[in-house]
Amino acid sequence: MSLPDLGWLQRFPALAGMPEAERAPLTGGAMAMSLPAGTTVFAPDQPCSMFILVTVGTVRVFQLDAEGNEIVLYRLGPGSICILTTLALLACDSYSAFAVTETPVEAVGLPAATFNELMARSAQFRSFVFNAQAARMADLMAVIQNVAFASIDSRLAARLLALADDSRGLSITHQQLAAEIGTAREVVSRHLKTFERRGWVSLGRGRVELRNAAPLRAAAQAGR
C-alpha cells in the first residue's frame, strides 16, 4: 500500500530535512506496513527485499543457538532501523537472525531498489543510514561484551532493573529472561532462586517482584 501521508517522516528528522529533489524517491517509494503482535518480520536465510523504518511499536531481533536457546540482539522501536536489514541490502545477502513483533507495529517499507537509489543519490540519506548503523552497532557490541565477559549474576540483575524501570514487578517468564541475557532457562531459574533467598526478589508464576533494588544495582555494577 502506497503512503501519501508524509507524517511518518517526523519520526526521522534527518530524512524529513532532506532536499526535496533527493527526497522524491523516498516519498514516492514508501509503503505502509501494519503488523500484528507475534508476526515474524524476517528469519535466517530469507532474502531481504525491504528497508524497514519503524514508526510505532516494538520488534525483537534475536538468534537461536544449536540447542534452541534464544539471545536478544536488540529491539527496534519508533524511529529505528535494523542493522541486519541494512547489511543484507548492502551486501545483497540474506538475513542471519529472526525478527518478531512484540506489539502491533506500524512501519514504512522502502523496496530494495528505492533504498539503493537513495544510497547512490543522497548524501543525507547515506549519512542517516550510517549514523543509525553506528549507534545500533554500539548496542550490539554491548550485548556481545556482556555475554562474553559479564557474570550471570551481573547480567541478570542489570536486565531485571532495566525491564522493571520504575516499577517493582515484572510479568516475565524464566525462559524470556534467559533470552534477554543469552543463557539457558535452567541457569536463570537457579540464579533467580539465589536472588530470592537473599531477599532481592520474590518469584511467582510468570512474575518477578523486585524487593530490594540496592543489591541488584550493586551486582549489576560489579560486572562492568
Side-chain angles (χ1 to χ4, degrees):
M1 181 174 61
S2 61
L3 197 65
D5 181 5
L6 301 183
W8 65 271
L9 279 172
Q10 301 312 309
R11 289 286 190 184
F12 304 90
L15 299 183
M18 287 172 61
E20 188 66 32
E22 291 185 12
R23 205 172 66 185
L26 175 69
T27 55
M31 302 173 64
M33 302 175 65
S34 294
L35 306 172
T39 301
T40 297
V41 183
F42 57 75
D45 300 323
Q46 284 185 348
C48 178
S49 60
M50 193 79 70
F51 183 69
I52 300 172
L53 303 104
V54 177
T55 58
V56 175
T58 307
V59 180
R60 183 177 80 260
V61 181
F62 62 94
Q63 284 188 328
L64 299 177
D65 67 15
E67 286 74 43
N69 296 314
E70 178 182 326
I71 178 170
V72 177
L73 302 178
Y74 52 85
R75 284 179 168 83
L76 304 175
S80 295
I81 68 171
C82 176
I83 185 173
L84 293 179
T85 295
T86 308
L87 292 174
L89 286 170
L90 290 174
C92 299
D93 203 354
S94 299
Y95 282 108
S96 58
F98 296 88
V100 174
T101 57
E102 292 189 317
T103 67
V105 165
E106 299 294 328
V108 173
L110 297 179
T114 302
F115 172 83
N116 291 330
E117 181 181 357
L118 285 163
M119 289 294 287
R121 289 179 51 176
S122 173
Q124 194 159 333
F125 184 81
R126 288 195 301 273
S127 177
F128 162 75
V129 169
F130 290 137
N131 286 339
Q133 285 292 92
R136 184 61 67 192
M137 184 64 76
D139 294 341
L140 190 55
M141 291 303 296
V143 171
I144 294 170
Q145 184 174 14
N146 279 334
V147 171
F149 302 114
S151 68
I152 296 293
D153 273 6
S154 173
R155 285 151 57 191
L156 181 56
R159 202 67 195 130
L160 286 171
L161 291 166
L163 291 172
D165 199 11
D166 293 330
S167 66
R168 293 182 60 86
L170 291 171
S171 294
I172 193 168
T173 67
H174 294 193
Q175 183 63 57
Q176 288 169 326
L177 275 171
E180 292 289 336
I181 65 171
T183 190
R185 179 189 59 77
E186 295 80 2
V187 174
V188 164
S189 296
R190 186 166 62 248
H191 283 264
L192 283 174
K193 285 292 186 184
T194 299
F195 286 5
E196 187 175 46
R197 286 195 300 271
R198 294 171 180 170
W200 299 0
V201 303
S202 60
L203 304 176
R205 186 175 181 83
R207 189 158 182 83
V208 181
E209 298 286 342
L210 276 59
R211 295 177 58 192
N212 193 342
L216 287 170
R217 283 194 290 268
Q221 289 292 330
R224 294 185 180 180

